[in-house]
Amino acid sequence: MASVVSTRRDALDVAAVRRDFPILRQRVHGRPLIYLDNAATTQKPRVMLEALQRYYSEENANVHRGVHSLSGRATDAYDAARETIRRFLNAADSREIVFVRGTTEGINLVAQTYGRARIGAGDEIVLSEMEHHSNIVPWQILCEEKGARLRVVPMTDAGELRLDEYESLLNECTRMVAVAHVSNVLGTVNPVAEIARLAVARGIPVLVDGAQAVAHMPVDVQALGCDFYAFSGHKVLGPTGIGVLYGRRALLEAMPVYQGGGGQIASVTFDRTTYAALPYKYEAGTPNIAGVIGLAAALDYVTAVGLDRIAAYERDLSTYAASALSGVPGLRLTGTARERAAVLSFVLGDVHPHDIGTILDREGVAIRAGHHCCQPLMRRLGVPATARASLALYNTREEVDALVAALERVREVFE
Ligand code: C6P
């Protein structure tokens, strides 16, 4: 369990949290590591690492297959993890939780199953201008195959979706709305409950890309009213290679299968295959058992710390960071929406973001530079790339100060 000992009403004890993350003790180029690349992937708490170690050293066996004790124990842990994830998302039923490799696969699954069955020539899929390639390309592949087309919700210069424009894009041809919960570049928290309400009222299903939300705020898929919600384990303190697709049960029941293979069938003859019940119908092949168990441990950890508390802590830290960064001469933040998560993208004069990233690395500060898999958004912003600092529950004001000091070094180099 998390070593964070305090009641849920207390503020987050960041020093205690930091002790739970062994990697944060290391030095890079002789300086303490300041890890501000959490939107790319988060660091892992000891309890998660121990869960992986325990699984492989004490419980390793295939699930839902063996009659032996070890397989029974692995199966119990695997099934219990699904229930942990159901609770984490407040899904109505654990059969609505499908394990996938990550957000990307979750979205591809919906495009290739629901999309291929229900979307045809002349139909429209509504996305937003700030989507990650993972929530564009799978739909584009589908559009090319079916003769459907993408419609794009524009945003304001501050990085807020134009809900009036969104509503006017919904029509009798709209077959899907797919939108990010939180932008990985702008930090914008989109009003997905409102977006879902407007679509669902017209009978249009809504997929939410939750990659950048789940580690930073409580997520309740029933309250959001969405039909699908996808996220990646590695962005919420869990392992890589595991993710979750939540799907509303009636839709998952009706959709065709995704991949075929062992574990997802009811019976097979050379003439015909019938499929297993939910969620196994979508989970062909030996699953990522260790990943699932590690993910459940990670979610238990963030739940123990408290997502409300994490959200409040990160809001405060993000406000501090935005104000500190704004004080750096020549620095311009891209993304100033009113509702924002702790993602801060910026440009600094005409210094290339890759040069910023490289110089910051020499100071021990890890950020990301590039297009962040959002090339259409970069075009909208009128820049080829940005530098991005993305914060998590273990980051501190001192680390933000170190980022600002390191940016001063960048300015000195380029003056
Ligand atoms: N964004 C970033 O540095 P995967 O690769 O499947 O775990 O997640 C894809 C993905 C989907 N949607 C959003 C909003 C995302 O931010 C990401 C991953 C990382 O911003 C890597 S490009």
Side-chain angles (χ1 to χ4, degrees):
M1 255 302 96
S3 66
V4 182
V5 279
S6 46
T7 66
R8 292 183 62 86
R9 265 170 291 129
D10 296 339
L12 183 140
D13 180 351
V14 69
V17 168
R18 289 181 69 81
R19 284 196 290 277
D20 293 333
F21 289 79
I23 204 168
L24 297 179
R25 280 189 234 121
Q26 70 179 269
R27 298 175 82 81
V28 171
H29 300 303
R31 295 173 182 268
L33 167 66
I34 296 177
Y35 186 78
L36 305 178
D37 194 16
N38 294 288
T41 198
T42 53
Q43 298 304 345
K44 316 303 173 195
R46 191 178 295 101
V47 282
M48 198 295 277
L49 303 171
E50 286 168 356
L52 292 179
Q53 169 80 18
R54 193 169 49 248
Y55 167 71
Y56 277 127
S57 52
E58 295 172 24
E59 291 170 346
N60 178 51
N62 212 327
V63 291
H64 301 136
R65 284 166 172 80
V67 291
H68 57 80
S69 306
L70 214 50
S71 175
R73 273 179 20 223
T75 302
D76 288 349
Y78 182 78
D79 290 345
R82 201 185 300 270
E83 172 57 20
T84 300
I85 290 145
R86 182 205 66 74
R87 230 180 302 120
F88 183 77
L89 292 177
N90 192 33
D93 192 313
S94 65
R95 287 170 292 184
E96 298 181 316
I97 303 300
V98 177
F99 291 125
V100 288
R101 280 186 296 141
T103 311
T104 303
E105 189 175 43
I107 298 170
N108 275 279
L109 190 158
V110 178
Q112 289 299 312
T113 59
Y114 182 90
R116 285 176 101 183
R118 303 277 187 90
I119 297 176
D123 287 343
E124 296 181 357
I125 298 161
V126 173
L127 313 177
S128 90
E129 210 165 22
M130 64 177 79
E131 297 310 313
H132 186 278
H133 297 166
S134 293
N135 202 23
I136 301 174
V137 183
W139 303 113
Q140 229 159 23
I141 292 170
L142 180 71
C143 286
E144 275 164 24
E145 187 185 317
K146 296 286 188 171
R149 70 169 178 148
L150 299 183
R151 306 296 305 271
V152 182
V153 184
M155 65 176 205
T156 65
D157 289 342
E160 293 180 352
L161 290 184
R162 295 273 311 272
L163 282 191
D164 52 339
E165 297 273 354
Y166 163 65
E167 204 171 351
S168 70
L169 283 175
L170 300 177
N171 62 49
E172 63 287 355
C173 296
T174 315
R175 293 285 172 273
M176 175 66 70
V177 170
V179 68
H181 196 167
V182 174
S183 160
N184 64 318
V185 172
L186 308 163
T188 309
V189 182
N190 286 317
V192 284
E194 177 66 1
I195 288 170
R197 193 184 64 73
L198 292 168
V200 171
R202 293 163 170 85
I204 302 164
V206 175
L207 177 143
V208 178
D209 169 352
Q212 297 296 345
V214 282
H216 308 287
M217 61 192 66
V219 171
D220 178 333
V221 288
Q222 295 189 73
L224 291 178
C226 58
D227 298 284
F228 300 103
Y229 194 98
F231 74 88
S232 305
H234 71 97
K235 293 196 199 286
V236 55
L237 319 186
T240 48
I242 186 69
V244 170
L245 173 70
Y246 156 80
R248 207 188 282 280
R249 192 169 150 209
L251 286 174
L252 290 180
E253 298 274 16
M255 283 154 44
V257 296
Y258 177 47
Q259 296 176 329
Q264 53 109 225
I265 56 91
S267 81
V268 179
T269 68
F270 283 112
D271 295 325
R272 182 163 179 265
T273 295
T274 58
Y275 298 104
L278 288 181
Y280 309 111
K281 160 184 174 183
Y282 294 107
E283 296 179 355
T286 298
N288 181 352
I289 306 164
V292 166
I293 289 168
L295 173 58
L299 298 187
D300 279 340
Y301 178 85
V302 285
T303 303
V305 177
L307 271 155
D308 283 323
R309 195 189 287 155
I310 291 170
Y313 178 78
E314 290 184 7
R315 198 174 310 121
D316 177 71
L317 189 60
S318 178
T319 305
Y320 179 81
S323 144
L325 287 172
S326 302
V328 176
L331 187 146
R332 182 169 61 83
L333 285 169
T334 55
T336 51
R338 285 158 293 183
E339 289 296 323
R340 296 186 46 245
V343 178
L344 301 113
S345 281
F346 55 90
V347 289
L348 182 59
D350 54 8
V351 184
H352 195 284
H354 282 132
D355 291 332
I356 299 177
T358 305
I359 295 170
L360 292 191
D361 178 59
R362 302 300 304 178
E363 305 290 316
V365 180
I367 62 151
R368 185 170 172 191
H371 55 63
H372 313 293
C373 299
C374 289
Q375 289 182 356
L377 175 58
M378 292 297 130
R379 243 164 256 130
R380 166 65 175 85
L381 295 171
V383 293
T386 69
R388 180 187 71 184
S390 51
L391 314 175
L393 71 168
Y394 37 70
N395 291 126
T396 64
R397 286 188 175 210
E398 291 70 31
E399 290 182 313
V400 171
D401 294 341
L403 166 68
V404 170
L407 285 168
E408 291 297 345
R409 293 271 307 120
V410 176
R411 291 187 56 242
E412 283 163 26
V413 171
F414 282 89
E415 240 163 31

